[in-house]
Amino acid sequence: MKIFHNAHCSKSRECLAFLKEEDLNVEVVDYLKNPPTIEEIKELLRKLAIKPIELVRKKEAIWKEVGNDTLSDEEIIALLHQYPKLIERPIIIDGERAIIARPLSVAQEWLKTAE
């Protein structure tokens, strides 16, 4: 299991703490220091079963500067790669499944369905 984690985000810290409390073997991916490649973002979107625009943190100042809802999927994916801060968080990946774990209750329910 992996978590796309931002240590500066309280929701991300809360989710990581929960996963550790559940004694799950978790690989922490600091996606701000090691941004996912374009291919990794496409794979993540496939696992999440969402469109690229749904992965964007639209309230980020960067999005207001460089992004808008009229961009193509490819353009949005390129921005997510270039500006990883735009990626919604935290994201839990378990094999072929993934979820944006906000709020924590979403992650808790999702993990129950994996058992």
Side-chain angles (χ1 to χ4, degrees):
M1 183 174 300
K2 291 182 183 181
I3 181 172
F4 271 46
H5 177 63
N6 177 345
H8 300 289
C9 171
S10 63
K11 299 292 184 197
S12 194
R13 289 192 310 268
E14 179 184 40
C15 184
L16 181 58
F18 165 73
L19 294 174
K20 287 181 176 181
E21 284 172 17
E22 293 293 308
D23 204 26
L24 297 168
N25 184 17
V26 181
E27 176 188 345
V28 178
V29 178
D30 185 338
Y31 67 94
L32 295 179
K33 289 183 182 171
N34 301 299
T37 65
I38 294 208
E39 286 307 312
E40 288 170 331
I41 293 170
K42 288 179 180 179
E43 181 69 9
L44 183 59
L45 289 165
R46 183 187 66 75
K47 290 178 180 182
L48 287 166
I50 62 173
K51 295 182 182 292
I53 193 71
E54 296 173 77
L55 191 56
V56 174
R57 294 177 55 85
K58 292 184 180 180
K59 293 181 181 177
E60 288 290 338
I62 297 167
W63 179 253
K64 293 174 182 173
E65 291 174 26
V66 300
N68 63 64
D69 291 344
T70 65
L71 295 174
S72 71
D73 287 353
E74 292 297 321
E75 290 170 321
I76 293 169
I77 290 169
L79 286 176
L80 291 169
H81 170 68
Q82 186 176 359
Y83 304 103
K85 191 173 184 181
L86 290 175
I87 297 174
E88 190 59 78
R89 60 186 178 256
I91 299 171
I92 302 171
I93 304 162
D94 186 19
E96 287 299 305
R97 303 175 344 133
I99 189 166
I100 298 171
R102 288 179 84 102
L104 181 59
S105 59
V106 170
Q108 292 166 328
E109 286 300 313
W110 183 77
L111 287 170
K112 284 180 188 175
T113 65
E115 296 173 351

